[in-house]
Amino acid sequence: MNAIKPRRMGRSLKPFKRPWLWSGLWILAIAAVVIGSLLPSQDLPAVGVDDKLQHFVGYAVLSAGAVQLFVRRLSWGFVCVLLVLMGIGLEVLQAQMGLGRMLDRNDALANTIGVLIGLATAFTPLRDALLWLDRRW
């Protein structure tokens, strides 16, 4: 008898039972970072956490999410480069939009370090945590 295999979305995604769910959540997280980065400063809620830490954690989560979703190292690298470019681009947009935000190179640096730390999860046993959860849920 043929065992039913989880359907794969392309060669790069891990063999999830719910690939659309996990991909969709990751895309929503990216959208949240973009929206949060482009909102006027007075519209942002006070979180009581250092701005650089927010940048670091946000981009680390996005990068670690890519490690969770994609099986290929080339995909990890491609996404990480795009995340770094996105962080730089959002900083430039903040300066250009004139909404009380400004370009801060230290924010871009915190984003980049976050991306690298998120990518580093690929070299730990945690790299397949989402796949494990998906199969047991």
Side-chain angles (χ1 to χ4, degrees):
M1 276 196 151
N2 292 354
I4 297 175
K5 293 183 180 179
R7 189 169 169 195
R8 295 219 23 206
M9 292 174 31
R11 294 180 303 157
S12 292
L13 277 182
K14 292 180 181 177
F16 293 110
K17 287 196 269 183
R18 299 165 193 83
W20 292 104
L21 171 67
W22 306 123
S23 300
L25 289 173
W26 184 64
I27 290 168
L28 280 175
I30 292 171
V33 168
V34 170
I35 291 167
S37 296
L38 297 178
L39 282 175
S41 56
Q42 65 269 17
D43 291 348
L44 295 173
V47 236
V49 178
D50 181 58
D51 174 56
K52 304 305 175 257
L53 183 60
Q54 290 176 25
H55 283 266
F56 170 79
V57 170
Y59 281 80
V61 167
L62 294 179
S63 179
V67 169
Q68 293 299 312
L69 286 174
F70 300 108
V71 70
R72 298 171 61 197
R73 290 181 181 183
L74 182 62
S75 298
W76 300 339
F78 182 71
V79 167
C80 288
V81 167
L82 289 179
L83 287 173
V84 169
L85 292 174
M86 180 179 89
I88 293 168
L90 288 172
E91 288 299 320
V92 170
L93 279 174
Q94 286 177 355
Q96 299 298 317
M97 291 177 67
L99 296 173
R101 308 287 297 262
M102 60 183 196
L103 186 144
D104 186 345
R105 289 185 176 114
N106 289 329
D107 285 351
L109 179 61
N111 298 344
T112 302
I113 294 169
V115 167
L116 293 173
I117 294 298
L119 178 61
T121 64
F123 306 102
T124 71
L126 295 175
R127 85 175 149 261
D128 291 324
L130 187 59
L131 187 59
W132 179 86
L133 176 69
D134 180 70
R135 289 181 176 169
R136 277 149 189 77
W137 180 43

